[in-house]
Amino acid sequence: MLGRARQFFVSMDQRRSVRPFAADPVPRELIELAIATASTAPSGAHRQPWRFVVVGDPQTKRRIRLAAEAEERQFYQGGRTPEEWLQALAPLGTNWEKPFLEIAPWLVVVFAELHGVNADGSQRQNYYVKKSVGIACGFFIAAIHQMGLATLTHTPSPMQFLSEILGRPPNEKPYVLCPVGYPAADAQVPDLRRKTLDEVAIWNRPPASVTND
Ligand SMILES: Cc1cc2nc3c(=O)[nH]c(=O)nc-3n(C[C@H](O)[C@H](O)[C@H](O)COP(=O)(O)O)c2cc1C
């Protein structure tokens, strides 16, 4: 058990968000498996309130890139983003240009289903939608990484344009846009430090009578 836990940690610790992608093709079946894995995630009342829209055709990828870059140009240069946020992003070296949206072989756009729709057109309540979709995205990212592929959690802000381009209904809200593929041959990632276990884990000391030691 310990060996498997260590192995999984070491593997997941090697995951990085990649921004420069290669154009090399990736079989559709791998994307299907990543989505199937994501869909095993827990969800409020088991509503599975997620939809994964997969884009592989160059025309749609181009439309998404142009629309995303228009929003991102505003985000980075439009004067509406708080200076503190821009400073937090500076070490990552990101800017409004998003060539990976055309270069990566697949774009997987995750939508959150705000509510379901019954056969008679009435609304069916979903529960803990954002939490559920976030966990499913985590499973998706982990699955892609385990395959030896790369992805990025891209959140152009705002991202309503994705509903229009992809023709999604009003009860679905764009959640995250994940390019999937191989990293470019010369891809580099920011030199980041992850918090140590001590920085993120707080062990609430149990009463002596229930200790496991
Ligand atoms: C909710 C969320 C939104 C993000 N949005 C963006 C984004 O729009 N563009 C981008 O380049 N990276 C984005 N990232 C990636 C983060 O910058 C990245 O995860 C972080 O710097 C840590 O790097 P790592 O993923 O390589 O560990 C996002 C990550 C998360 C979790």
Side-chain angles (χ1 to χ4, degrees), residues 12-19 72 75-76 85 88-89 91-95 98 100 141 151-157 175-177 189-190 192-194:
M12 291 302 290
D13 195 32
Q14 286 165 0
R15 182 209 57 80
R16 292 303 312 272
S17 290
V18 164
R19 297 174 180 89
E72 293 286 86
F75 177 87
Y76 282 95
W85 193 350
L89 290 173
L92 303 178
T94 53
N95 62 26
K98 307 293 169 190
F100 56 78
I141 294 164
T151 188
L152 169 70
T153 39
H154 182 39
T155 45
S157 168
Y175 189 86
V176 72
L177 165 49
V189 291
L192 300 179
R193 182 190 81 89
R194 291 192 168 130

Side-chain angles (χ1 to χ4, degrees), residues 171-195:
N171 64 319
E172 293 179 16
K173 200 171 181 289
Y175 189 86
V176 72
L177 165 49
C178 296
V180 178
Y182 297 94
D186 59 351
Q188 294 195 321
V189 291
D191 186 16
L192 300 179
R193 182 190 81 89
R194 291 192 168 130
K195 289 180 181 170

Side-chain angles (χ1 to χ4, degrees), residues 49-51 53 109-113 162-163 166 168 172-174:
W50 42 71
R51 293 288 180 278
V53 181
V109 188
V110 187
F111 285 82
E113 189 194 56
L162 290 165
S163 299
L166 300 173
R168 301 312 300 165
E172 293 179 16
K173 200 171 181 289

Side-chain angles (χ1 to χ4, degrees), residues 3-193:
R4 282 170 55 188
R6 281 204 185 102
Q7 222 174 14
F8 189 64
F9 163 68
V10 167
S11 164
M12 291 302 290
D13 195 32
Q14 286 165 0
R15 182 209 57 80
R16 292 303 312 272
S17 290
V18 164
R19 297 174 180 89
F21 280 85
D24 303 65
V26 165
R28 173 189 163 126
E29 197 180 355
L30 293 178
I31 307 299
E32 287 174 0
L33 281 165
I35 296 172
T37 303
S39 211
T40 67
S43 62
H46 191 46
R47 288 291 204 254
Q48 299 183 274
W50 42 71
R51 293 288 180 278
F52 295 83
V53 181
V54 187
V55 180
D57 71 288
Q59 295 80 8
T60 311
K61 285 198 291 182
R62 177 146 190 83
R63 284 184 68 195
I64 289 175
R65 176 184 177 179
L66 292 177
E69 287 187 335
E71 297 293 2
E72 293 286 86
R73 202 192 281 264
Q74 280 302 311
F75 177 87
Y76 282 95
Q77 298 176 350
R80 69 165 190 228
T81 308
E83 192 50 37
E84 194 179 351
W85 193 350
L86 293 173
Q87 274 176 22
L89 290 173
L92 303 178
T94 53
N95 62 26
W96 63 269
E97 289 178 286
K98 307 293 169 190
F100 56 78
L101 293 175
E102 275 191 276
I103 296 170
W106 300 106
L107 303 181
V108 178
V109 188
V110 187
F111 285 82
E113 189 194 56
L114 304 180
H115 61 81
V117 181
N118 293 314
D120 65 359
S122 60
Q123 289 190 9
R124 183 175 194 242
Q125 183 72 33
N126 284 338
Y127 304 95
Y128 295 117
V129 171
K130 282 189 192 166
K131 292 180 174 70
S132 302
V133 181
I135 294 169
C137 287
F139 279 34
F140 177 81
I141 294 164
I144 292 292
H145 176 66
Q146 291 301 315
M147 293 172 191
L149 293 169
T151 188
L152 169 70
T153 39
H154 182 39
T155 45
S157 168
M159 54 200 303
Q160 202 50 40
F161 67 88
L162 290 165
S163 299
E164 287 141 35
I165 294 177
L166 300 173
R168 301 312 300 165
N171 64 319
E172 293 179 16
K173 200 171 181 289
Y175 189 86
V176 72
L177 165 49
C178 296
V180 178
Y182 297 94
D186 59 351
Q188 294 195 321
V189 291
D191 186 16
L192 300 179
R193 182 190 81 89

